[in-house]
Amino acid sequence: MLPAAMEVQLPLQGQRDTAWKWMPLLLLLVWVATMCSAQDRSDLLNVCMDAKHHKTKPGPEDKLHDQCSPWKKNACCTANTSQELHKDTSRLYNFNWDHCGKMEPACKRHFIQDTCLYECSPHLGPWIRQVNQSWRKERFLDVPLCKEDCQRWWEDCHTSRTCKSNWHRGWDWTSVALCEGLWSHSYKVSNYSRGSGRCIQMWFDSAQGNPNEEVARFYAAVMHVNAGEMLHGIGGLLLSLALMLQLWLLG
């Protein structure tokens, strides 16, 4: 019959043996958290969405049509896509801009520009989200649209009307409601102005470069810092647990 001290010691030794087996995994988790917090977010830059008409990777498209031409130096859309989206009845999504009567040309140009941004821009990575939809696997959400672009869009469209079910009140809204509610919050109206480097521009002069590249870099960096701080905290917690476990094992 074993002494009472040995009866207590044997279960305790078994616990320590199990703890030693878990130590490498715990240290591995600390290393992973540390490495992830040190990585940049270049995966958010110069990318195309996984959607119906988008290219796999962005690149030059010299023949982009009309309002989509500002993206010709680096685009996620093809020339054919850019031509189709300018048509009143497009084969891209089987949708007609004039589905409830003639839309004013000044208003329609904003919808075309919005579609050019959606189809062509390689600088929306920080706002791309996965979705479970039959026609696309990704969309963008809460893109910070420059306040002037939203205001101009509303000014040119607020007298137009539509009978599509989710637009049943027409355009007699505030400018923010138009821009943010139109495509299920694809946009979020920014307090920043055009040229600030902090908001996405639908309209820009390509001769001066694409200002949205700088904006994407800024928000990717912000996301990197936020994620890094979180992972650094997790790594610190795991390291503390590893040290406490080691002290217990040695004790």
Side-chain angles (χ1 to χ4, degrees), residues 130-177:
Q130 292 186 342
V131 292
N132 183 21
Q133 295 177 328
S134 61
W135 55 284
R136 63 181 180 181
K137 295 181 179 180
E138 292 179 331
R139 61 164 294 187
F140 59 72
L141 183 69
D142 291 335
V143 170
L145 184 66
C146 293
K147 59 183 181 180
E148 296 91 345
D149 283 6
C150 178
Q151 185 64 30
R152 286 174 55 192
W153 194 350
W154 179 77
E155 288 174 354
D156 288 340
C157 291
H158 76 281
T159 58
S160 296
R161 299 188 67 83
T162 175
C163 56
K164 188 165 170 43
S165 60
N166 62 332
W167 299 344
H168 65 280
R169 295 182 181 177
W171 302 126
D172 192 16
W173 303 337
T174 64
S175 59
V176 172

